[in-house]
């Protein structure tokens, strides 16, 4: 390989990566001005019966108990809790019925057979919306794998009303258990942080709005005007699809940090995280082709390339220096590579890796820290050091995270939560 060819390749990679770096920095600079994480609040009299909660379920017996318990602990702002079960075979309805004996706000209904062109989750949510009380001003979709904290619903409504939101969703605090999860899941989460502004950032264009269906609050009147969940009926990321549709219709949509009021245990192990979460993280059902391609370029530049480039340079350095280690230590890198462009490329990717490791501090509050032993606020900035060791190695999984988004972008899911969608006619 000639030196001219190497220089040309290096220049092309720099041209590809440089704009992505500027985009990343512009987004990171918005972090300090974002809306702070919402705090749990108590209900006040004017919120009496303001919310109908809808929980879609399909074979959730192994993980729905914390969700049911958390919803029971919500205050009188919750008028009803409608659990829409899609004919579970694992005893999920029995758990709901047991909760109903203790809390009459629970209602268990079964949805009708899935219509053509619908995905199961938006169909269940749509069914719950249609069966909800017209006296409720708000509809709150809650996933069965969540663990709502006391004060969640009241804080949601008060924040939405204070900020004028028509639709508001929250990012959760994740509960991880196994080493593989701690290594892979943060890298997959980073694909969202790189593509979108931080949670709580205002004034986003409709096509870049983010949302999380695990905790998804919408004004009843707005949801009715949007046709319920019909606009997201064929989407495997129905939350983002509906939120962007609402934003395009002129409604105010918010996505805030809910780590203090909402926890979630999504998947069991790294394999399931790779298979299940990766199917929806590409967000292609809520995005245009140009958006998907742009996001892939961004992730390729920021997550796919830095580690391989730095490791390649490290390998070259070792190869060039193994017979003359003393000279390697004292000679500048420019003499080793005899090129300035490669040094610029190396510096850029070392900078990206430094940002990536620094972002571990930023995302640490998004993970349940079971080893935290102190509540001393003066020491809260060091709590992230108590997370499992594998969390700090998650930047090494970034190339895999990019690969997962790439694969997902090229594929259409054929099954989801036990349902098959072979040859489903997509309406969006």
């Amino acid at each position: 390989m000639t030196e001219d060819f190497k220089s040309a390749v290096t220049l092309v990679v720099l041209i590809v990566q440089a704009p992505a770096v500027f985009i990343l920095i512009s987004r990171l600079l918005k972090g300090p001005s974002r809306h702070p994480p919402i705090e749990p609040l108590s209900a006040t009299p004017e919120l009496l019966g303001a919310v109908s909660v809808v929980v879609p379920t399909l074979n959730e017996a192994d993980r729905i108990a914390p969700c049911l318990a958390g919803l029971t602990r919500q205050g009188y702002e919750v008028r009803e809790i409608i659990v829409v079960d899609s004919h579970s075979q694992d005893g999920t309805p029995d758990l709901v019925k047991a909760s109903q004996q203790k809390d009459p706000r629970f209602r268990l209904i079964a949805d009708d057979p899935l219509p053509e062109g619908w995905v199961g989750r938006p169909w269940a949510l749509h069914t719950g919306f249609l069966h909800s009380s017209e006296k409720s001003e708000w509809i709150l979709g809650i996933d069965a794998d969540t663990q709502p904290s006391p004060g969640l619903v009241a804080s949601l409504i008060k924040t939405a009303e204070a900020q004028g939101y028509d639709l508001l969703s929250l990012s959760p605090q994740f509960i991880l258990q196994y080493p593989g999860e701690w290594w892979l899941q943060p890298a997959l989460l980073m694909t969202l942080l790189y593509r979108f502004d931080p949670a709580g950032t205002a004034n986003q264009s409709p096509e870049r709005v983010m949302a999380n269906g695990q905790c998804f609050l919408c004004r009843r009147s707005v949801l009715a005007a949007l046709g319920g969940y019909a606009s997201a009926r064929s989407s495997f990321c129905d939350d983002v699809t509906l939120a962007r549709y609402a934003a395009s219709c002129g409604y105010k949509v918010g996505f805030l940090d809910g780590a203090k009021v909402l926890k979630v245990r999504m998947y069991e192990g790294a394999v399931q995280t790779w298979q299940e979460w990766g199917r929806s993280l590409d967000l292609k059902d809520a995005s245009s082709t140009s958006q998907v391609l742009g996001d892939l370029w961004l992730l390729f530049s920021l997550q796919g390339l830095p580690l391989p480039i730095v490791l390649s340079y490290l390998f070259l350095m070792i190869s060039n220096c193994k017979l003359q280690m003393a000279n390697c230590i004292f000679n500048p890198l420019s003499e080793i590579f005899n090129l300035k462009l490669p040094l610029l490329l190396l510096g850029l990717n070392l900078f990206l890796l430094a940002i990536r490791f620094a972002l571990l501090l930023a995302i640490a509050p998004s993970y349940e820290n079971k080893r935290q032993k102190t509540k001393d606020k003066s020491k809260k900035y060091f709590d992230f050091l108590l997370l499992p060791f594998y969390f700090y190695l998650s930047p090494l999984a970034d190339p895999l995270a990019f690969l997962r988004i790439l694969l997902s972008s090229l594929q259409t899911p054929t099954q989801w939560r036990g349902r098959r969608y072979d040859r489903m006619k997509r309406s969006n």
Side-chain angles (χ1 to χ4, degrees):
M1 185 181 296
T2 66
E3 293 300 324
D4 289 343
F5 181 76
K6 291 179 181 179
S7 297
V9 172
T10 302
L11 181 60
V12 169
V13 176
L14 279 170
I15 293 174
V16 168
Q17 282 191 292
V21 175
F22 285 110
I23 292 174
L24 173 62
I25 293 175
S26 68
R27 287 177 176 160
L28 294 179
L29 290 176
K30 297 177 182 179
S33 62
R34 71 189 185 108
H35 191 286
I38 69 171
E39 303 278 351
L41 298 174
S42 300
T44 45
E46 71 274 9
L47 298 183
L48 178 64
V51 184
S52 288
V53 178
V54 179
V55 184
T57 61
L58 175 58
N59 297 326
E60 305 284 1
D62 291 338
R63 54 184 179 174
I64 196 175
C67 178
L68 298 178
L71 291 175
T72 297
R73 290 194 292 268
Q74 303 304 310
Y76 50 73
E77 70 278 10
V78 175
R79 178 184 298 274
E80 57 188 351
I81 305 167
I82 304 171
V83 180
V84 184
D85 188 68
S86 299
H87 308 281
S88 297
Q89 303 298 316
D90 66 346
T92 298
D94 294 331
L95 294 175
V96 178
K97 292 175 182 177
S99 296
Q100 190 174 19
Q101 297 298 318
K102 303 174 183 178
D103 189 339
R105 293 178 297 177
F106 280 98
R107 291 170 52 197
L108 175 64
I109 63 176
D111 55 6
D112 294 330
L114 195 64
E116 184 178 0
W118 281 80
V119 173
R121 187 177 182 279
W123 173 242
L125 289 165
H126 188 72
T127 300
F129 165 62
L130 295 178
H131 284 80
S132 64
S133 172
E134 294 184 359
K135 296 180 179 179
S136 295
E137 182 182 353
W138 297 89
I139 303 295
L140 174 60
I142 289 284
D143 276 4
D145 55 8
T146 61
Q147 300 181 15
S149 300
L152 163 67
V153 178
S155 65
L156 265 174
I157 302 173
K158 289 186 177 182
T159 301
E161 292 182 342
Q163 302 294 326
Y165 289 119
D166 299 298
L167 189 157
L168 179 62
S169 62
L170 301 179
S171 63
Q173 184 178 76
F174 298 98
I175 301 173
L176 305 183
Q177 294 182 2
Y178 305 113
E181 291 177 86
W182 280 106
W183 182 67
L184 177 63
Q185 202 271 4
L188 290 173
L189 177 65
M190 197 59 59
T191 67
L192 295 175
L193 271 64
Y194 279 165
R195 284 180 285 170
F196 303 100
D197 290 339
T201 303
N203 302 320
Q204 299 186 55
S205 59
E207 65 272 10
R208 302 306 294 176
V209 161
M210 265 300 293
N212 178 25
Q214 293 168 327
C215 182
F216 193 92
L217 180 74
C218 188
R219 292 185 190 273
R220 180 183 183 83
S221 58
V222 171
L223 197 54
L226 296 175
Y229 288 82
S231 62
R233 58 185 174 273
S234 63
S235 176
F236 286 96
C237 56
D238 57 274
D239 44 8
V240 179
T241 300
L242 183 58
R244 291 181 178 178
Y245 178 56
S248 70
C249 292
Y251 297 108
K252 186 174 182 180
V253 177
F255 178 57
L256 303 181
D257 186 342
K260 295 183 178 181
V261 293
L262 182 72
K263 295 183 180 182
V264 60
R265 171 73 179 149
M266 292 195 300
Y267 305 114
E268 294 296 325
V271 173
Q272 195 176 87
T273 300
W274 172 273
Q275 293 174 340
E276 298 293 337
W277 202 22
R279 290 174 182 168
S280 60
L281 276 178
D282 60 271
L283 303 181
K284 62 178 178 291
D285 289 349
S287 308
S288 64
T289 301
S290 60
Q291 284 179 296
V292 173
L293 292 176
D295 287 345
L296 287 174
W297 157 71
L298 192 72
L299 293 180
F300 176 64
S301 300
L302 301 178
Q303 285 190 278
L305 285 178
L307 185 63
I309 287 176
V310 171
L311 291 179
S312 297
Y313 272 79
L314 181 62
F315 173 78
L316 289 174
M317 288 176 61
I318 295 175
S319 299
N320 289 336
C321 299
K322 61 183 179 180
L323 298 179
Q324 40 183 321
M325 185 61 67
N327 290 334
C328 176
I329 294 174
F330 295 105
N331 286 347
L333 285 173
S334 58
E335 291 184 17
I336 296 173
F337 295 105
N338 200 28
L339 286 171
K340 293 183 179 180
L341 279 179
L343 290 180
L344 182 59
L345 183 62
L346 174 61
L348 180 66
N349 285 277
L350 285 172
F351 174 67
L352 286 174
L353 283 181
I355 290 178
R356 176 63 177 87
F357 278 95
L359 283 174
L360 291 175
L361 175 61
I363 67 172
S366 296
Y367 293 92
E368 184 182 52
N369 190 349
K370 293 184 177 180
R371 296 199 295 178
Q372 181 178 351
K373 297 181 180 180
T374 177
K375 296 185 179 295
D376 185 351
K377 293 185 178 180
S378 65
K379 300 179 181 179
K380 66 179 180 179
Y381 299 108
F382 300 97
D383 289 346
F384 79 101
L385 295 174
L386 299 175
L387 292 173
F389 173 72
Y390 305 97
F391 171 76
Y392 309 107
L393 298 179
S394 63
L396 304 182
D398 277 9
L400 281 179
F402 162 72
L403 176 63
R404 187 62 186 94
I405 302 302
L406 175 62
L407 294 175
S408 182
S409 299
L410 299 175
Q411 301 169 347
T412 298
T414 58
Q415 61 180 355
W416 197 283
R417 296 292 191 188
R419 276 195 170 113
R420 296 198 63 83
Y421 296 95
D422 296 329
R423 298 180 299 278
M424 186 183 77
K425 295 180 180 179
R426 309 295 292 279
S427 56
N428 282 357

